[in-house]
Amino acid sequence: WSSGLFLFMNDHQLNILTSKSRADKAINSLKGILLGINIDFDVNQQEVKELKSWANNHKDMINRNPFKEFMAIIDFATSGNKAPSKEEIMDLHWLWQKYENSSFYYNALTADMQTLQGICHGILADGIIKEKEVINFNKWLDKNQHLNSYYPYDEIRSLILSILADHKVEEDEILMLKAYFNQFVQIQNPSMAAQLEQEISSVNISALCTSNPQVEFPGNTF
C-alpha cells in the first residue's frame, strides 16, 4: 500500500514526506565531509569547492533548520574561494553536534555509516590523499570499531591496515585508496572527477576483503 502511495505523489509531496530522512542523511554526510577535509588540519581550495557543491546540492532544504545556519556559515566561510578558518570549521562542527543531539530519524549505526562515507568524500575532495590523512583516518576507524562487521567499514579498515603495516604509504597504495573511495563517493567537481577516473583507470580492487571476517559454522568452532 505504501509503495502504491508513492506512485501517486508528485515531487513536491514526496520531498515533504521524506524531508526528515533527507535532512538527517545530509547532515551526517556533511559531518563526515568536514571531518574528511580537515583530517590533515589543512583545508585547500579544491576542498572548499567541494564544500560549496554540497551546499548547492542542498539548496532545496534552505528553509529547514538547521540548514539556514549551515548555509550562512558555509557561504561566509567560503566567500571569495578562500579556505575556511579553523574557527569557521569549528562553528560548523558545533552546529552539527547541536543538531545531532535532536536527530532521531536514523539509528546511530546508520548515521555513523553515513558519516564514514562523508569522511571518504572529504578526503578525496581535492584528489590528493596524504600520509597524514591516512594515519588520522585510521584513528577514526579505531574509535568506531562497532562498525567492524558492516560494509564498507570492514573493507576500508582492511585496506588502511594493509597500507600502514610497513609504516609508510606508497604511491600505488594511495591509488588503491582513491579507487576504493571513488566507488561510493561522487565528486561534484567535473574536472576533479575526470582526473580521478584517469588516475585510477588501471587499478584493480576486486580482491579486497575484510581483515576480520565474521566466519560462523553453526554447531562448530573455528
Side-chain angles (χ1 to χ4, degrees), residues 70-84:
F70 277 121
M71 298 307 183
I73 295 174
I74 290 173
D75 285 345
F76 179 78
T78 61
S79 59
N81 287 324
K82 69 180 179 68

Side-chain angles (χ1 to χ4, degrees), residues 62-100:
I62 193 71
N63 292 319
R64 182 183 180 90
N65 285 327
F67 281 88
K68 283 184 180 179
E69 295 175 87
F70 277 121
M71 298 307 183
I73 295 174
I74 290 173
D75 285 345
F76 179 78
T78 61
S79 59
N81 287 324
K82 69 180 179 68
S85 66
K86 290 182 180 179
E87 290 75 17
E88 289 162 338
I89 290 289
M90 289 304 297
D91 285 345
L92 285 166
H93 277 287
W94 176 83
L95 189 56
W96 63 246
Q97 284 176 329
K98 175 184 172 184
Y99 178 79
E100 188 178 42

Side-chain angles (χ1 to χ4, degrees), residues 45-58:
Q45 295 295 331
Q46 292 295 338
E47 291 167 334
V48 168
K49 286 182 180 179
E50 202 64 22
L51 186 58
K52 279 187 170 183
S53 294
W54 181 91
N56 289 332
N57 288 339
H58 295 86

Side-chain angles (χ1 to χ4, degrees), residues 98-210:
K98 175 184 172 184
Y99 178 79
E100 188 178 42
N101 293 332
S102 60
S103 172
F104 300 105
Y105 187 88
Y106 292 107
N107 62 34
L109 177 65
T110 302
D112 287 343
M113 293 300 287
Q114 291 168 347
T115 299
L116 171 62
Q117 185 171 352
I119 293 174
C120 296
H121 189 163
I123 292 174
L124 196 61
D126 61 354
I128 300 170
I129 299 180
K130 304 173 188 174
E131 182 173 339
K132 188 174 183 179
E133 291 176 312
V134 177
I135 292 170
N136 288 340
F137 186 29
N138 187 50
K139 292 177 182 177
W140 187 91
L141 294 170
D142 277 343
K143 292 177 181 177
N144 289 273
Q145 291 189 45
H146 61 284
L147 304 174
N148 193 51
S149 59
Y150 296 92
Y151 172 86
Y153 174 95
D154 51 358
E155 292 191 351
I156 291 174
R157 181 165 167 76
S158 176
L159 181 54
I160 294 292
L161 288 174
S162 67
I163 289 173
L164 294 175
D166 58 358
H167 305 290
K168 57 183 178 180
V169 181
E170 306 287 355
E171 189 59 36
D172 60 331
E173 294 171 328
I174 292 296
L175 279 177
M176 178 76 76
L177 204 52
K178 287 182 180 181
Y180 191 80
F181 286 0
N182 200 55
Q183 289 185 117
F184 49 85
V185 168
Q186 187 174 2
I187 296 297
Q188 301 300 311
N189 183 338
S191 61
M192 181 58 65
Q195 176 186 315
L196 282 167
E197 288 292 345
Q198 185 176 4
E199 282 185 31
I200 64 177
S201 58
S202 61
V203 179
N204 178 20
I205 56 173
S206 60
L208 192 65
C209 60
T210 179

